[in-house]
Amino acid sequence: MFNTLKGLVGKLAPTLHSDRMTFWVTDLDGDKEPDLLVGHIDVSEDKDAPYPYLSLWRLRFNNGTYKAIYAGPFLNGNFHAARAFGTNPKRKAVFVKHISCLECEPIVYLTAIDFDAGNDARPFEFSYSEKHQDFAPTIEYELPGMGHTVEAKVETRLLSPSEKGPHLLQFFDMKEGEGPNEWWAFTCKNYRCDYQMYMKRPSSEFLKLWQSAKPL
């Protein structure tokens, strides 16, 4: 199966290196048919620091031809999960795990991608800013501390898709001296996920949601 897929993709994209290629098969759109994700590790041309980046495509067969929908690049990236997420219970988002840098203590991020957003792959954007103004296509998944971020153990959970939300929950278990613990509830609308945050003690409603949510 793997060699068959490798041969197919090699014909479609002969510039890709077969030894840097991998595949994931999953149903993303709820039609009970498997969807093919192709991952390729691109290595930067910097001789001193040849950084590895993950490029990701979803291949879809349509009207006798294959259409490739692209997402990336992601520094030292890898497929993390495909999970139902957001407002549509029939569609799955692809969560890619990647890092902020190689020559430092990196922040580990997740990026959630909808490969069925029209004719494009669209990431969900999250806000962690105090004024709820700045959004980026990254979920803070692991924090390094070491003066680069707060020192905290982060736990992330997903709720079942719904129109109202929330859709994603996080608990920041702060190390001593970093301040009170934080509980975040993200609700997504039109691919933008804004938050409600509790410090010191979450609400009883949040705790009920937390218990029903699944670890990501």
mmCIF file of all heavy atoms in Angstrom, residues 125-148:
data_model
loop_
_atom_site.group_PDB
_atom_site.id
_atom_site.type_symbol
_atom_site.label_atom_id
_atom_site.label_comp_id
_atom_site.label_asym_id
_atom_site.label_seq_id
_atom_site.Cartn_x
_atom_site.Cartn_y
_atom_site.Cartn_z
ATOM 1 N N GLU A 125 -7.679 30.315 13.585
ATOM 2 C CA GLU A 125 -6.820 31.286 14.253
ATOM 3 C C GLU A 125 -7.284 31.474 15.692
ATOM 4 O O GLU A 125 -8.488 31.579 15.960
ATOM 5 C CB GLU A 125 -6.834 32.623 13.512
ATOM 6 C CG GLU A 125 -6.269 32.523 12.099
ATOM 7 C CD GLU A 125 -6.186 33.889 11.434
ATOM 8 O OE1 GLU A 125 -6.981 34.790 11.805
ATOM 9 O OE2 GLU A 125 -5.328 34.065 10.558
ATOM 10 N N PHE A 126 -6.305 31.557 16.597
ATOM 11 C CA PHE A 126 -6.588 31.673 18.030
ATOM 12 C C PHE A 126 -5.986 32.957 18.587
ATOM 13 O O PHE A 126 -4.923 33.395 18.149
ATOM 14 C CB PHE A 126 -6.000 30.474 18.783
ATOM 15 C CG PHE A 126 -6.730 29.185 18.514
ATOM 16 C CD1 PHE A 126 -6.531 28.492 17.332
ATOM 17 C CD2 PHE A 126 -7.633 28.673 19.437
ATOM 18 C CE1 PHE A 126 -7.209 27.315 17.070
ATOM 19 C CE2 PHE A 126 -8.312 27.497 19.181
ATOM 20 C CZ PHE A 126 -8.105 26.819 17.997
ATOM 21 N N SER A 127 -6.689 33.526 19.564
ATOM 22 C CA SER A 127 -6.181 34.722 20.240
ATOM 23 C C SER A 127 -5.794 34.383 21.673
ATOM 24 O O SER A 127 -6.550 33.729 22.399
ATOM 25 C CB SER A 127 -7.245 35.824 20.268
ATOM 26 O OG SER A 127 -6.757 36.953 20.986
ATOM 27 N N TYR A 128 -4.593 34.815 22.052
ATOM 28 C CA TYR A 128 -4.153 34.745 23.440
ATOM 29 C C TYR A 128 -3.869 36.145 23.984
ATOM 30 O O TYR A 128 -3.329 36.291 25.070
ATOM 31 C CB TYR A 128 -2.879 33.895 23.564
ATOM 32 C CG TYR A 128 -3.090 32.412 23.347
ATOM 33 C CD1 TYR A 128 -3.043 31.864 22.074
ATOM 34 C CD2 TYR A 128 -3.341 31.551 24.421
ATOM 35 C CE1 TYR A 128 -3.232 30.502 21.869
ATOM 36 C CE2 TYR A 128 -3.525 30.193 24.224
ATOM 37 C CZ TYR A 128 -3.475 29.673 22.949
ATOM 38 O OH TYR A 128 -3.659 28.319 22.752
ATOM 39 N N SER A 129 -4.201 37.181 23.207
ATOM 40 C CA SER A 129 -3.864 38.551 23.599
ATOM 41 C C SER A 129 -4.852 39.088 24.622
ATOM 42 O O SER A 129 -6.044 38.738 24.611
ATOM 43 C CB SER A 129 -3.832 39.467 22.377
ATOM 44 O OG SER A 129 -5.126 39.626 21.835
ATOM 45 N N GLU A 130 -4.353 39.942 25.482
ATOM 46 C CA GLU A 130 -5.166 40.486 26.580
ATOM 47 C C GLU A 130 -6.379 41.247 26.063
ATOM 48 O O GLU A 130 -7.460 41.203 26.654
ATOM 49 C CB GLU A 130 -4.301 41.397 27.448
ATOM 50 C CG GLU A 130 -5.004 41.933 28.670
ATOM 51 C CD GLU A 130 -4.098 42.774 29.560
ATOM 52 O OE1 GLU A 130 -2.875 42.766 29.319
ATOM 53 O OE2 GLU A 130 -4.615 43.430 30.486
ATOM 54 N N LYS A 131 -6.217 41.956 24.948
ATOM 55 C CA LYS A 131 -7.304 42.768 24.405
ATOM 56 C C LYS A 131 -8.103 42.032 23.323
ATOM 57 O O LYS A 131 -8.940 42.646 22.656
ATOM 58 C CB LYS A 131 -6.734 44.073 23.837
ATOM 59 C CG LYS A 131 -6.129 44.966 24.909
ATOM 60 C CD LYS A 131 -5.655 46.280 24.326
ATOM 61 C CE LYS A 131 -5.076 47.185 25.402
ATOM 62 N NZ LYS A 131 -4.620 48.485 24.842
ATOM 63 N N HIS A 132 -7.822 40.760 23.118
ATOM 64 C CA HIS A 132 -8.562 39.934 22.150
ATOM 65 C C HIS A 132 -8.464 40.508 20.735
ATOM 66 O O HIS A 132 -9.387 40.357 19.932
ATOM 67 C CB HIS A 132 -10.049 39.831 22.545
ATOM 68 C CG HIS A 132 -10.284 39.243 23.893
ATOM 69 N ND1 HIS A 132 -10.755 37.961 24.078
ATOM 70 C CD2 HIS A 132 -10.115 39.750 25.148
ATOM 71 C CE1 HIS A 132 -10.874 37.715 25.379
ATOM 72 N NE2 HIS A 132 -10.483 38.792 26.047
ATOM 73 N N GLN A 133 -7.330 41.120 20.414
ATOM 74 C CA GLN A 133 -7.181 41.756 19.105
ATOM 75 C C GLN A 133 -6.310 40.949 18.144
ATOM 76 O O GLN A 133 -6.517 40.997 16.934
ATOM 77 C CB GLN A 133 -6.580 43.161 19.259
ATOM 78 C CG GLN A 133 -7.501 44.143 19.953
ATOM 79 C CD GLN A 133 -6.851 45.506 20.133
ATOM 80 O OE1 GLN A 133 -5.621 45.612 20.176
ATOM 81 N NE2 GLN A 133 -7.662 46.534 20.236
ATOM 82 N N ASP A 134 -5.330 40.242 18.663
ATOM 83 C CA ASP A 134 -4.363 39.547 17.818
ATOM 84 C C ASP A 134 -4.728 38.065 17.705
ATOM 85 O O ASP A 134 -4.953 37.391 18.717
ATOM 86 C CB ASP A 134 -2.951 39.691 18.393
ATOM 87 C CG ASP A 134 -2.520 41.142 18.493
ATOM 88 O OD1 ASP A 134 -2.851 41.907 17.568
ATOM 89 O OD2 ASP A 134 -1.878 41.501 19.493
ATOM 90 N N PHE A 135 -4.748 37.571 16.470
ATOM 91 C CA PHE A 135 -5.053 36.172 16.207
ATOM 92 C C PHE A 135 -3.940 35.571 15.363
ATOM 93 O O PHE A 135 -3.364 36.242 14.501
ATOM 94 C CB PHE A 135 -6.390 36.034 15.467
ATOM 95 C CG PHE A 135 -7.593 36.339 16.301
ATOM 96 C CD1 PHE A 135 -7.977 37.661 16.542
ATOM 97 C CD2 PHE A 135 -8.348 35.314 16.856
ATOM 98 C CE1 PHE A 135 -9.090 37.947 17.320
ATOM 99 C CE2 PHE A 135 -9.469 35.593 17.637
ATOM 100 C CZ PHE A 135 -9.829 36.911 17.872
ATOM 101 N N ALA A 136 -3.635 34.307 15.611
ATOM 102 C CA ALA A 136 -2.611 33.599 14.847
ATOM 103 C C ALA A 136 -3.048 32.150 14.678
ATOM 104 O O ALA A 136 -3.785 31.616 15.512
ATOM 105 C CB ALA A 136 -1.257 33.673 15.560
ATOM 106 N N PRO A 137 -2.580 31.466 13.612
ATOM 107 C CA PRO A 137 -3.011 30.080 13.355
ATOM 108 C C PRO A 137 -2.249 29.062 14.214
ATOM 109 O O PRO A 137 -1.761 28.056 13.707
ATOM 110 C CB PRO A 137 -2.696 29.908 11.866
ATOM 111 C CG PRO A 137 -1.539 30.797 11.632
ATOM 112 C CD PRO A 137 -1.749 31.997 12.520
ATOM 113 N N THR A 138 -2.150 29.347 15.507
ATOM 114 C CA THR A 138 -1.388 28.475 16.400
ATOM 115 C C THR A 138 -2.081 28.323 17.746
ATOM 116 O O THR A 138 -2.615 29.296 18.301
ATOM 117 C CB THR A 138 0.030 29.041 16.640
ATOM 118 O OG1 THR A 138 -0.045 30.437 16.951
ATOM 119 C CG2 THR A 138 0.918 28.841 15.427
ATOM 120 N N ILE A 139 -2.052 27.101 18.255
ATOM 121 C CA ILE A 139 -2.493 26.779 19.607
ATOM 122 C C ILE A 139 -1.243 26.525 20.443
ATOM 123 O O ILE A 139 -0.374 25.747 20.037
ATOM 124 C CB ILE A 139 -3.372 25.511 19.606
ATOM 125 C CG1 ILE A 139 -4.607 25.711 18.714
ATOM 126 C CG2 ILE A 139 -3.791 25.130 21.027
ATOM 127 C CD1 ILE A 139 -5.305 24.409 18.363
ATOM 128 N N GLU A 140 -1.137 27.179 21.586
ATOM 129 C CA GLU A 140 0.021 26.957 22.459
ATOM 130 C C GLU A 140 -0.135 25.595 23.127
ATOM 131 O O GLU A 140 -1.011 25.408 23.973
ATOM 132 C CB GLU A 140 0.127 28.077 23.496
ATOM 133 C CG GLU A 140 0.420 29.440 22.871
ATOM 134 C CD GLU A 140 0.530 30.553 23.904
ATOM 135 O OE1 GLU A 140 0.406 30.261 25.113
ATOM 136 O OE2 GLU A 140 0.733 31.711 23.503
ATOM 137 N N TYR A 141 0.727 24.647 22.745
ATOM 138 C CA TYR A 141 0.564 23.264 23.187
ATOM 139 C C TYR A 141 1.551 22.880 24.282
ATOM 140 O O TYR A 141 1.209 22.143 25.198
ATOM 141 C CB TYR A 141 0.714 22.332 21.981
ATOM 142 C CG TYR A 141 0.227 20.926 22.215
ATOM 143 C CD1 TYR A 141 -1.123 20.667 22.447
ATOM 144 C CD2 TYR A 141 1.108 19.851 22.194
ATOM 145 C CE1 TYR A 141 -1.582 19.371 22.652
ATOM 146 C CE2 TYR A 141 0.657 18.553 22.399
ATOM 147 C CZ TYR A 141 -0.687 18.318 22.631
ATOM 148 O OH TYR A 141 -1.134 17.035 22.848
ATOM 149 N N GLU A 142 2.785 23.364 24.179
ATOM 150 C CA GLU A 142 3.787 23.155 25.221
ATOM 151 C C GLU A 142 4.602 24.434 25.344
ATOM 152 O O GLU A 142 5.003 25.014 24.330
ATOM 153 C CB GLU A 142 4.724 21.985 24.890
ATOM 154 C CG GLU A 142 4.047 20.631 24.845
ATOM 155 C CD GLU A 142 5.012 19.515 24.456
ATOM 156 O OE1 GLU A 142 6.247 19.744 24.544
ATOM 157 O OE2 GLU A 142 4.545 18.437 24.052
ATOM 158 N N LEU A 143 4.856 24.854 26.587
ATOM 159 C CA LEU A 143 5.617 26.078 26.831
ATOM 160 C C LEU A 143 6.965 25.730 27.462
ATOM 161 O O LEU A 143 7.023 24.950 28.407
ATOM 162 C CB LEU A 143 4.833 27.024 27.738
ATOM 163 C CG LEU A 143 3.465 27.471 27.218
ATOM 164 C CD1 LEU A 143 2.787 28.386 28.229
ATOM 165 C CD2 LEU A 143 3.605 28.194 25.883
ATOM 166 N N PRO A 144 8.059 26.330 26.970
ATOM 167 C CA PRO A 144 9.380 25.937 27.453
ATOM 168 C C PRO A 144 9.809 26.596 28.753
ATOM 169 O O PRO A 144 10.693 26.096 29.436
ATOM 170 C CB PRO A 144 10.302 26.382 26.310
ATOM 171 C CG PRO A 144 9.610 27.579 25.733
ATOM 172 C CD PRO A 144 8.147 27.278 25.842
ATOM 173 N N GLY A 145 9.195 27.754 29.098
ATOM 174 C CA GLY A 145 9.743 28.495 30.235
ATOM 175 C C GLY A 145 11.111 29.043 29.875
ATOM 176 O O GLY A 145 11.280 29.640 28.810
ATOM 177 N N MET A 146 12.087 28.845 30.723
ATOM 178 C CA MET A 146 13.479 29.245 30.455
ATOM 179 C C MET A 146 13.592 30.723 30.081
ATOM 180 O O MET A 146 14.481 31.138 29.357
ATOM 181 C CB MET A 146 14.069 28.398 29.329
ATOM 182 C CG MET A 146 13.988 26.898 29.533
ATOM 183 S SD MET A 146 15.039 26.335 30.895
ATOM 184 C CE MET A 146 16.653 26.520 30.153
ATOM 185 N N GLY A 147 12.680 31.546 30.577
ATOM 186 C CA GLY A 147 12.709 32.962 30.264
ATOM 187 C C GLY A 147 12.054 33.320 28.944
ATOM 188 O O GLY A 147 11.871 34.502 28.645
ATOM 189 N N HIS A 148 11.680 32.323 28.152
ATOM 190 C CA HIS A 148 11.048 32.592 26.860
ATOM 191 C C HIS A 148 9.536 32.710 27.002
ATOM 192 O O HIS A 148 8.904 33.479 26.278
ATOM 193 C CB HIS A 148 11.382 31.473 25.871
ATOM 194 C CG HIS A 148 12.843 31.297 25.623
ATOM 195 N ND1 HIS A 148 13.567 32.136 24.803
ATOM 196 C CD2 HIS A 148 13.733 30.394 26.104
ATOM 197 C CE1 HIS A 148 14.835 31.753 24.781
ATOM 198 N NE2 HIS A 148 14.958 30.694 25.568
#
